[in-house]
Amino acid sequence: MATKEVFIGGKGITKRIGIGGNNPVSIQTMWKEPITDVNDNSEKLDLILKKINNLQFLGCDIIRFAVPDMKSAASLCRIAAHTEVPLVADIHFDYRLALDCLKGNVAAIRINPGNIGSAENTRKVVEACRENGVAIRIGINSGSYPKELQKKVAAGEMTRAEALCETAVIESAVFEELHFDQYVVSMKSSSVEETVLSNRFYAQKYHNPLHLGVTEAGPLIDGIVKSTMAFSTLLNENIGDTIRVSLSSTPENEVIAARNILKECGRRTGGVTLVSCPRCGREGFDVHSFVERWQPELLAMDKNITVAVMGCIVNGPGEGKHADIGIAGAGGKAIIFKKGQIVRTVPEKDADTAFREEIQSL
Ligand code: SF4
C-alpha cells in the first residue's frame, strides 16, 4: 500500500515536490558548511547557489541545511529565496529557530521532538508549519529514544530497532493529536540491520512517508556499502519515499551514490550511465583520471545514454559495444567509438576535446 502523500516547497520560486504516495523516491543531501554569514555576503550566496544548481543537475531533489543559530536561519531564508530547490531547515534544541526559518521560503523543517525541549515547543512548531503550509520531518536516531525505552533496551526487553520504531510511533502520535499529517518520519541508526528493521516495523503498521538514511555511515566506501545494503533491502520491499546517503564526503558524492542506488533498484531511469573498466596491466589510457575528471559533467548531462571509458583497445570497443559512446587508449592515442564502431582516433593529449565534440553531437 502506498504511503500518504506529503508536499514540500511551492512557496516563491521553490519547486513543489511530493514525497510518498506514487511520487518517485526523491534524493536528498545535506549542506556541509556553516551558512552563518551568508545573509550579508552576496559573493558567498552566489557560490552556494552555483553549488546548489550543480547538485540539482546531478539529480538532487532536496537539500537540508543545519540551522544552529538565528544568523543561519536568516541566511537560509535568503538562500531559499533564490533557488527552486526545496531547502529543509535542520533544527535541534531551540524551536524558535524553526519559527525564524518559516519567515522565508523554507520548504520543510526537520526536528527531533526528543531534543526540542517540550511538547509545547513541538506544538508551536507544528502550528507555525500548518499556518505556512510547510511540512515537517520527524528525525529520530538511535541516540535519541526516550529514557523508558533506553531502560527496556538495557534490560533486554526490547531491541534497539524496536525502540527506534516505538519512538517514531510515540512522536507520530503527538502530530496526529495535533491533526497535522504533513510529516515524514525517519529512523536512523549507524547499523544496517537496525535501520532495516526499524523502518520495516514502522511500515508494517503506518503509512506516513519514510525518509531512509544510515546515520554516521562513515567515509565514502563504507558509507556507500552500508547505505546500499539498507536502502536496496527496503526499497525492494517498497519501503522508503526519500533517501539520503550520509557520507564523510562531499554532497556531490552523496547525490551520485543515491542516484546510482535508485537506478540499480529500478527506481530512477534516464540520465548518463557511466561504465568504466578497472584498469589493468594492459592499460593504454589513464581511465581513473579521465573518469574522475568527467564524471560530474557526464552525470549532470541531460542525455539518456551509456558512456564507456576503457583502458585499452584490446577489449575497449568490444566490451563497451553497448555504449552509445566510449573512449579507449591505444598506445599514446585515444580512440572514440560509438556502439562499438571506431569513429575517431586522436593523440591522447586531444582526448578530452575530441570526446567533448563527439558526445555533444549525440
Ligand atoms: S579494458 Fe583493457 S585495460 Fe581495462 S581492464 Fe579490460 S583489458 Fe584491462
Side-chain angles (χ1 to χ4, degrees):
M1 183 176 168
T3 49
K4 209 184 287 174
E5 199 172 25
V6 167
F7 290 99
I8 69 163
K11 278 206 289 181
I13 60 166
T14 313
K15 261 202 303 197
R16 190 170 189 249
I17 291 185
I19 300 177
N22 294 317
N23 292 293
V25 177
S26 48
I27 293 175
Q28 309 206 14
T29 187
M30 191 160 180
W31 202 255
K32 311 250 173 175
E33 285 92 33
I35 53 166
T36 341
D37 59 346
V38 176
N39 199 25
D40 34 43
N41 185 337
S42 295
E43 215 170 291
K44 200 160 178 189
L45 174 70
D46 287 346
L47 286 174
I48 290 176
L49 291 173
K50 213 178 265 178
K51 200 166 164 177
I52 289 176
N53 219 19
N54 186 44
L55 287 166
Q56 188 183 17
F57 280 133
L58 289 175
C60 182
D61 301 300
I62 300 162
I63 306 176
R64 181 162 48 115
F65 285 75
V67 180
D69 50 39
M70 295 297 184
K71 278 189 163 186
S72 303
S75 293
L76 184 58
C77 290
R78 186 161 185 221
I79 300 166
H82 290 88
T83 176
E84 61 168 19
V85 177
L87 307 184
V88 179
D90 189 89
I91 311 288
H92 287 272
F93 311 121
D94 188 350
Y95 76 97
R96 290 169 303 178
L97 295 170
L99 305 186
D100 253 42
C101 289
L102 290 169
K103 292 175 187 160
N105 288 350
V106 166
I109 300 284
R110 182 261 167 153
I111 54 169
N112 179 344
N115 71 23
I116 209 75
S118 68
E120 181 54 18
N121 292 349
T122 302
R123 193 192 62 76
K124 282 179 186 159
V125 176
V126 167
E127 291 311 334
C129 283
R130 196 198 316 269
E131 235 168 73
N132 286 279
V134 167
I136 294 179
R137 170 158 74 90
I138 309 174
I140 291 148
N141 57 43
S142 50
S144 69
Y145 38 78
K147 285 204 172 67
E148 327 70 91
L149 298 184
Q150 285 178 26
K151 278 186 200 155
K152 284 190 177 181
V153 172
E157 294 164 19
M158 190 177 233
T159 64
R160 287 163 61 91
E162 285 167 337
L164 258 180
C165 176
E166 189 55 30
T167 308
V169 170
I170 293 167
E171 301 301 353
S172 303
V174 174
F175 285 67
E176 294 296 332
E177 273 167 29
L178 293 167
H179 304 291
F180 185 83
D181 70 352
Q182 287 297 293
Y183 66 93
V184 174
V185 173
S186 69
M187 288 153 284
K188 296 189 182 182
S189 160
S190 56
S191 141
V192 171
E193 190 187 5
E194 281 172 22
T195 304
V196 168
L197 290 176
S198 55
N199 280 282
R200 199 181 268 158
F201 294 152
Y202 191 90
Q204 278 162 1
K205 294 188 193 153
Y206 302 92
H207 299 294
N208 302 302
L210 289 172
H211 165 123
L212 303 183
V214 178
T215 193
E216 291 132 25
L220 191 67
I221 295 173
D222 312 49
I224 290 176
V225 169
K226 281 186 170 188
S227 301
T228 305
M229 288 187 69
F231 297 177
S232 58
T233 305
L234 289 165
L235 289 170
N236 287 333
E237 295 174 22
N238 272 328
I239 299 171
D241 302 284
T242 180
I243 62 170
R244 183 211 173 182
V245 176
S246 163
L247 301 172
S248 304
S249 179
T250 62
E252 287 78 9
N253 279 338
E254 292 192 356
V255 171
I256 293 168
R259 167 185 162 148
N260 287 353
I261 293 170
L262 290 183
K263 257 190 159 182
E264 294 304 327
C265 290
R267 297 308 192 93
R268 201 168 263 225
T269 52
V272 171
T273 300
L274 179 58
V275 295
S276 60
C277 86
R279 208 168 81 179
C280 71
R282 218 174 277 119
E283 178 224 358
F285 184 61
D286 191 351
V287 173
H288 295 190
S289 72
F290 188 89
V291 167
E292 202 172 310
R293 209 164 53 243
W294 274 85
Q295 189 190 37
E297 189 175 332
L298 288 173
L299 295 188
M301 279 179 183
D302 187 19
K303 291 182 189 286
N304 189 6
I305 54 170
T306 297
V307 176
V309 183
M310 312 301 272
C312 75
I313 197 160
V314 176
N315 291 318
E319 285 182 15
K321 69 171 172 270
H322 299 298
D324 297 283
I325 184 168
I327 187 162
K333 293 196 170 127
I335 57 157
I336 296 171
F337 50 93
K338 290 181 176 169
K339 299 276 186 200
Q341 299 299 314
I342 296 174
V343 293
R344 208 156 158 188
T345 304
V346 295
E348 202 174 325
K349 66 174 178 46
D350 299 330
D352 283 45
T353 311
F355 185 72
R356 178 162 285 111
E357 284 167 7
E358 292 300 328
I359 201 165
Q360 275 167 357
S361 72
L362 284 177

